[in-house]
PDB file of all heavy atoms in Angstrom:
ATOM      1  N   PHE A  98      -7.243   5.114 -10.658  1.00 92.00           N
ATOM      2  CA  PHE A  98      -7.269   3.860 -11.447  1.00 92.00           C
ATOM      3  C   PHE A  98      -5.839   3.766 -12.131  1.00 92.00           C
ATOM      4  O   PHE A  98      -5.491   4.721 -12.816  1.00 92.00           O
ATOM      5  CB  PHE A  98      -8.325   3.765 -12.357  1.00 92.00           C
ATOM      6  CG  PHE A  98      -9.709   3.389 -11.853  1.00 92.00           C
ATOM      7  CD1 PHE A  98     -10.147   3.830 -10.602  1.00 92.00           C
ATOM      8  CD2 PHE A  98     -10.525   2.594 -12.406  1.00 92.00           C
ATOM      9  CE1 PHE A  98     -11.378   3.568  -9.923  1.00 92.00           C
ATOM     10  CE2 PHE A  98     -11.802   2.141 -11.884  1.00 92.00           C
ATOM     11  CZ  PHE A  98     -12.203   2.643 -10.644  1.00 92.00           C
ATOM     12  N   SER A  99      -5.157   2.620 -11.905  1.00 92.00           N
ATOM     13  CA  SER A  99      -3.897   2.489 -12.457  1.00 92.00           C
ATOM     14  C   SER A  99      -3.614   1.107 -12.823  1.00 92.00           C
ATOM     15  O   SER A  99      -4.299   0.063 -12.352  1.00 92.00           O
ATOM     16  CB  SER A  99      -2.777   3.073 -11.657  1.00 92.00           C
ATOM     17  OG  SER A  99      -2.786   2.305 -10.422  1.00 92.00           O
ATOM     18  N   GLN A 100      -2.462   0.685 -13.422  1.00 91.00           N
ATOM     19  CA  GLN A 100      -2.098  -0.696 -13.565  1.00 91.00           C
ATOM     20  C   GLN A 100      -1.890  -1.432 -12.282  1.00 91.00           C
ATOM     21  O   GLN A 100      -2.193  -2.584 -12.109  1.00 91.00           O
ATOM     22  CB  GLN A 100      -0.943  -0.899 -14.491  1.00 91.00           C
ATOM     23  CG  GLN A 100      -1.052  -0.447 -15.901  1.00 91.00           C
ATOM     24  CD  GLN A 100       0.157  -0.678 -16.809  1.00 91.00           C
ATOM     25  OE1 GLN A 100       1.225  -0.953 -16.320  1.00 91.00           O
ATOM     26  NE2 GLN A 100      -0.076  -0.424 -18.083  1.00 91.00           N
ATOM     27  N   GLU A 101      -1.381  -0.677 -11.302  1.00 92.00           N
ATOM     28  CA  GLU A 101      -1.049  -1.185  -9.896  1.00 92.00           C
ATOM     29  C   GLU A 101      -2.367  -1.452  -9.213  1.00 92.00           C
ATOM     30  O   GLU A 101      -2.432  -2.299  -8.419  1.00 92.00           O
ATOM     31  CB  GLU A 101      -0.145  -0.294  -9.150  1.00 92.00           C
ATOM     32  CG  GLU A 101       1.333  -0.128  -9.706  1.00 92.00           C
ATOM     33  CD  GLU A 101       1.358   0.898 -10.847  1.00 92.00           C
ATOM     34  OE1 GLU A 101       0.295   1.550 -11.164  1.00 92.00           O
ATOM     35  OE2 GLU A 101       2.422   1.056 -11.401  1.00 92.00           O
ATOM     36  N   ALA A 102      -3.336  -0.565  -9.428  1.00 91.00           N
ATOM     37  CA  ALA A 102      -4.641  -0.627  -8.737  1.00 91.00           C
ATOM     38  C   ALA A 102      -5.696  -0.400  -9.764  1.00 91.00           C
ATOM     39  O   ALA A 102      -6.170   0.750  -9.884  1.00 91.00           O
ATOM     40  CB  ALA A 102      -4.721   0.365  -7.511  1.00 91.00           C
ATOM     41  N   PRO A 103      -6.067  -1.497 -10.490  1.00 91.00           N
ATOM     42  CA  PRO A 103      -6.998  -1.209 -11.675  1.00 91.00           C
ATOM     43  C   PRO A 103      -8.414  -0.555 -11.318  1.00 91.00           C
ATOM     44  O   PRO A 103      -9.049  -0.006 -12.150  1.00 91.00           O
ATOM     45  CB  PRO A 103      -7.204  -2.627 -12.213  1.00 91.00           C
ATOM     46  CG  PRO A 103      -5.932  -3.374 -11.832  1.00 91.00           C
ATOM     47  CD  PRO A 103      -5.600  -2.832 -10.424  1.00 91.00           C
ATOM     48  N   ARG A 104      -8.726  -0.833 -10.024  1.00 92.00           N
ATOM     49  CA  ARG A 104     -10.052  -0.261  -9.531  1.00 92.00           C
ATOM     50  C   ARG A 104      -9.836   0.625  -8.330  1.00 92.00           C
ATOM     51  O   ARG A 104     -10.619   0.791  -7.391  1.00 92.00           O
ATOM     52  CB  ARG A 104     -11.085  -1.336  -9.205  1.00 92.00           C
ATOM     53  CG  ARG A 104     -11.433  -2.178 -10.357  1.00 92.00           C
ATOM     54  CD  ARG A 104     -12.253  -3.502 -10.078  1.00 92.00           C
ATOM     55  NE  ARG A 104     -12.472  -4.304 -11.261  1.00 92.00           N
ATOM     56  CZ  ARG A 104     -11.524  -5.193 -11.643  1.00 92.00           C
ATOM     57  NH1 ARG A 104     -10.369  -5.263 -11.064  1.00 92.00           N
ATOM     58  NH2 ARG A 104     -11.754  -5.835 -12.730  1.00 92.00           N
ATOM     59  N   ALA A 105      -8.638   1.193  -8.256  1.00 93.00           N
ATOM     60  CA  ALA A 105      -8.193   2.177  -7.167  1.00 93.00           C
ATOM     61  C   ALA A 105      -8.331   1.332  -5.852  1.00 93.00           C
ATOM     62  O   ALA A 105      -8.083   0.163  -5.869  1.00 93.00           O
ATOM     63  CB  ALA A 105      -9.189   3.364  -7.126  1.00 93.00           C
ATOM     64  N   LEU A 106      -8.591   2.036  -4.735  1.00 95.00           N
ATOM     65  CA  LEU A 106      -8.529   1.547  -3.420  1.00 95.00           C
ATOM     66  C   LEU A 106     -10.004   1.347  -2.902  1.00 95.00           C
ATOM     67  O   LEU A 106     -10.620   2.442  -2.800  1.00 95.00           O
ATOM     68  CB  LEU A 106      -7.634   2.203  -2.413  1.00 95.00           C
ATOM     69  CG  LEU A 106      -6.104   2.406  -2.970  1.00 95.00           C
ATOM     70  CD1 LEU A 106      -5.393   3.224  -1.765  1.00 95.00           C
ATOM     71  CD2 LEU A 106      -5.473   1.211  -3.162  1.00 95.00           C
ATOM     72  N   LEU A 107     -10.347   0.272  -2.504  1.00 97.00           N
ATOM     73  CA  LEU A 107     -11.676   0.021  -1.865  1.00 97.00           C
ATOM     74  C   LEU A 107     -11.826   0.889  -0.586  1.00 97.00           C
ATOM     75  O   LEU A 107     -10.985   0.753   0.274  1.00 97.00           O
ATOM     76  CB  LEU A 107     -11.993  -1.340  -1.589  1.00 97.00           C
ATOM     77  CG  LEU A 107     -13.338  -1.767  -1.043  1.00 97.00           C
ATOM     78  CD1 LEU A 107     -14.502  -1.346  -1.959  1.00 97.00           C
ATOM     79  CD2 LEU A 107     -13.461  -3.314  -0.761  1.00 97.00           C
ATOM     80  N   HIS A 108     -12.847   1.662  -0.571  1.00 96.00           N
ATOM     81  CA  HIS A 108     -13.133   2.534   0.535  1.00 96.00           C
ATOM     82  C   HIS A 108     -14.590   2.755   0.868  1.00 96.00           C
ATOM     83  O   HIS A 108     -15.423   2.375   0.147  1.00 96.00           O
ATOM     84  CB  HIS A 108     -12.461   3.910   0.344  1.00 96.00           C
ATOM     85  CG  HIS A 108     -12.940   4.626  -0.927  1.00 96.00           C
ATOM     86  ND1 HIS A 108     -12.452   4.389  -2.181  1.00 96.00           N
ATOM     87  CD2 HIS A 108     -13.917   5.556  -1.188  1.00 96.00           C
ATOM     88  CE1 HIS A 108     -12.961   5.039  -3.075  1.00 96.00           C
ATOM     89  NE2 HIS A 108     -13.876   5.785  -2.477  1.00 96.00           N
ATOM     90  N   ARG A 109     -14.797   3.184   2.006  1.00 98.00           N
ATOM     91  CA  ARG A 109     -16.226   3.290   2.527  1.00 98.00           C
ATOM     92  C   ARG A 109     -16.940   4.652   1.997  1.00 98.00           C
ATOM     93  O   ARG A 109     -16.273   5.760   1.871  1.00 98.00           O
ATOM     94  CB  ARG A 109     -16.270   3.323   3.966  1.00 98.00           C
ATOM     95  CG  ARG A 109     -17.636   3.169   4.740  1.00 98.00           C
ATOM     96  CD  ARG A 109     -17.586   2.785   6.124  1.00 98.00           C
ATOM     97  NE  ARG A 109     -17.168   1.389   6.317  1.00 98.00           N
ATOM     98  CZ  ARG A 109     -16.758   0.921   7.589  1.00 98.00           C
ATOM     99  NH1 ARG A 109     -16.685   1.817   8.668  1.00 98.00           N
ATOM    100  NH2 ARG A 109     -16.245  -0.296   7.679  1.00 98.00           N
ATOM    101  N   ALA A 110     -18.160   4.529   1.661  1.00 97.00           N
ATOM    102  CA  ALA A 110     -18.958   5.653   1.247  1.00 97.00           C
ATOM    103  C   ALA A 110     -20.338   5.529   1.843  1.00 97.00           C
ATOM    104  O   ALA A 110     -20.742   4.505   2.634  1.00 97.00           O
ATOM    105  CB  ALA A 110     -19.057   5.655  -0.286  1.00 97.00           C
ATOM    106  N   PHE A 111     -21.136   6.608   1.606  1.00 98.00           N
ATOM    107  CA  PHE A 111     -22.495   6.589   1.919  1.00 98.00           C
ATOM    108  C   PHE A 111     -23.352   7.246   0.792  1.00 98.00           C
ATOM    109  O   PHE A 111     -22.847   8.069   0.199  1.00 98.00           O
ATOM    110  CB  PHE A 111     -22.782   7.366   3.323  1.00 98.00           C
ATOM    111  CG  PHE A 111     -22.473   8.665   3.369  1.00 98.00           C
ATOM    112  CD1 PHE A 111     -23.395   9.664   2.898  1.00 98.00           C
ATOM    113  CD2 PHE A 111     -21.340   9.261   3.671  1.00 98.00           C
ATOM    114  CE1 PHE A 111     -23.148  11.100   2.701  1.00 98.00           C
ATOM    115  CE2 PHE A 111     -21.010  10.619   3.702  1.00 98.00           C
ATOM    116  CZ  PHE A 111     -21.830  11.418   3.170  1.00 98.00           C
ATOM    117  N   SER A 112     -24.622   6.850   0.718  1.00 98.00           N
ATOM    118  CA  SER A 112     -25.532   7.522  -0.289  1.00 98.00           C
ATOM    119  C   SER A 112     -26.788   7.790   0.472  1.00 98.00           C
ATOM    120  O   SER A 112     -27.508   7.042   0.988  1.00 98.00           O
ATOM    121  CB  SER A 112     -25.881   6.570  -1.486  1.00 98.00           C
ATOM    122  OG  SER A 112     -24.861   6.531  -2.433  1.00 98.00           O
ATOM    123  N   VAL A 113     -27.155   9.215   0.551  1.00 98.00           N
ATOM    124  CA  VAL A 113     -28.311   9.717   1.148  1.00 98.00           C
ATOM    125  C   VAL A 113     -29.460   9.752   0.183  1.00 98.00           C
ATOM    126  O   VAL A 113     -29.234  10.290  -0.917  1.00 98.00           O
ATOM    127  CB  VAL A 113     -28.081  10.983   1.860  1.00 98.00           C
ATOM    128  CG1 VAL A 113     -29.430  11.630   2.331  1.00 98.00           C
ATOM    129  CG2 VAL A 113     -27.061  10.818   3.012  1.00 98.00           C
ATOM    130  N   PHE A 114     -30.621   9.327   0.487  1.00 98.00           N
ATOM    131  CA  PHE A 114     -31.896   9.371  -0.183  1.00 98.00           C
ATOM    132  C   PHE A 114     -32.765  10.195   0.682  1.00 98.00           C
ATOM    133  O   PHE A 114     -33.417   9.578   1.595  1.00 98.00           O
ATOM    134  CB  PHE A 114     -32.471   8.092  -0.700  1.00 98.00           C
ATOM    135  CG  PHE A 114     -31.643   7.370  -1.691  1.00 98.00           C
ATOM    136  CD1 PHE A 114     -30.449   6.821  -1.317  1.00 98.00           C
ATOM    137  CD2 PHE A 114     -31.937   7.267  -2.952  1.00 98.00           C
ATOM    138  CE1 PHE A 114     -29.615   6.135  -2.183  1.00 98.00           C
ATOM    139  CE2 PHE A 114     -31.198   6.702  -3.974  1.00 98.00           C
ATOM    140  CZ  PHE A 114     -30.009   6.029  -3.649  1.00 98.00           C
ATOM    141  N   LEU A 115     -32.955  11.485   0.391  1.00 98.00           N
ATOM    142  CA  LEU A 115     -33.843  12.331   1.153  1.00 98.00           C
ATOM    143  C   LEU A 115     -35.143  12.566   0.468  1.00 98.00           C
ATOM    144  O   LEU A 115     -35.184  13.089  -0.564  1.00 98.00           O
ATOM    145  CB  LEU A 115     -33.056  13.732   1.466  1.00 98.00           C
ATOM    146  CG  LEU A 115     -33.729  14.728   2.520  1.00 98.00           C
ATOM    147  CD1 LEU A 115     -32.650  15.466   3.163  1.00 98.00           C
ATOM    148  CD2 LEU A 115     -34.756  15.593   1.909  1.00 98.00           C
ATOM    149  N   PHE A 116     -36.277  12.208   1.180  1.00 98.00           N
ATOM    150  CA  PHE A 116     -37.507  12.346   0.622  1.00 98.00           C
ATOM    151  C   PHE A 116     -38.299  13.469   1.463  1.00 98.00           C
ATOM    152  O   PHE A 116     -38.010  13.585   2.627  1.00 98.00           O
ATOM    153  CB  PHE A 116     -38.366  11.070   0.737  1.00 98.00           C
ATOM    154  CG  PHE A 116     -37.754   9.919  -0.055  1.00 98.00           C
ATOM    155  CD1 PHE A 116     -36.765   9.151   0.592  1.00 98.00           C
ATOM    156  CD2 PHE A 116     -38.241   9.697  -1.319  1.00 98.00           C
ATOM    157  CE1 PHE A 116     -36.250   8.160  -0.101  1.00 98.00           C
ATOM    158  CE2 PHE A 116     -37.643   8.651  -1.989  1.00 98.00           C
ATOM    159  CZ  PHE A 116     -36.618   7.818  -1.392  1.00 98.00           C
ATOM    160  N   ASP A 117     -39.220  14.256   0.750  1.00 97.00           N
ATOM    161  CA  ASP A 117     -39.962  15.226   1.468  1.00 97.00           C
ATOM    162  C   ASP A 117     -41.314  14.533   1.852  1.00 97.00           C
ATOM    163  O   ASP A 117     -41.489  13.297   1.598  1.00 97.00           O
ATOM    164  CB  ASP A 117     -40.285  16.483   0.559  1.00 97.00           C
ATOM    165  CG  ASP A 117     -41.108  16.202  -0.674  1.00 97.00           C
ATOM    166  OD1 ASP A 117     -41.632  15.120  -0.870  1.00 97.00           O
ATOM    167  OD2 ASP A 117     -41.203  17.160  -1.470  1.00 97.00           O
ATOM    168  N   ASN A 118     -42.177  15.240   2.433  1.00 95.00           N
ATOM    169  CA  ASN A 118     -43.374  14.602   2.918  1.00 95.00           C
ATOM    170  C   ASN A 118     -44.487  14.220   1.851  1.00 95.00           C
ATOM    171  O   ASN A 118     -45.539  13.626   2.113  1.00 95.00           O
ATOM    172  CB  ASN A 118     -44.145  15.415   4.062  1.00 95.00           C
ATOM    173  CG  ASN A 118     -43.350  15.427   5.457  1.00 95.00           C
ATOM    174  OD1 ASN A 118     -42.553  14.403   5.582  1.00 95.00           O
ATOM    175  ND2 ASN A 118     -43.509  16.470   6.188  1.00 95.00           N
ATOM    176  N   GLN A 119     -44.113  14.665   0.620  1.00 96.00           N
ATOM    177  CA  GLN A 119     -44.934  14.198  -0.561  1.00 96.00           C
ATOM    178  C   GLN A 119     -44.420  12.977  -1.192  1.00 96.00           C
ATOM    179  O   GLN A 119     -44.950  12.538  -2.187  1.00 96.00           O
ATOM    180  CB  GLN A 119     -44.992  15.333  -1.630  1.00 96.00           C
ATOM    181  CG  GLN A 119     -45.630  16.734  -1.085  1.00 96.00           C
ATOM    182  CD  GLN A 119     -45.518  17.803  -2.223  1.00 96.00           C
ATOM    183  OE1 GLN A 119     -45.985  17.467  -3.396  1.00 96.00           O
ATOM    184  NE2 GLN A 119     -45.135  18.918  -1.866  1.00 96.00           N
ATOM    185  N   GLY A 120     -43.337  12.470  -0.541  1.00 97.00           N
ATOM    186  CA  GLY A 120     -42.669  11.296  -1.195  1.00 97.00           C
ATOM    187  C   GLY A 120     -41.848  11.560  -2.360  1.00 97.00           C
ATOM    188  O   GLY A 120     -41.464  10.476  -3.010  1.00 97.00           O
TER     189      GLY A 120
END
Side-chain angles (χ1 to χ4, degrees):
F98 280 39
S99 65
Q100 290 184 354
E101 295 84 3
R104 297 171 186 83
L106 303 181
L107 178 59
H108 54 275
R109 190 169 287 166
F111 63 84
S112 283
V113 173
F114 291 74
L115 187 151
F116 298 87
D117 66 11
N118 286 338
Q119 298 179 50

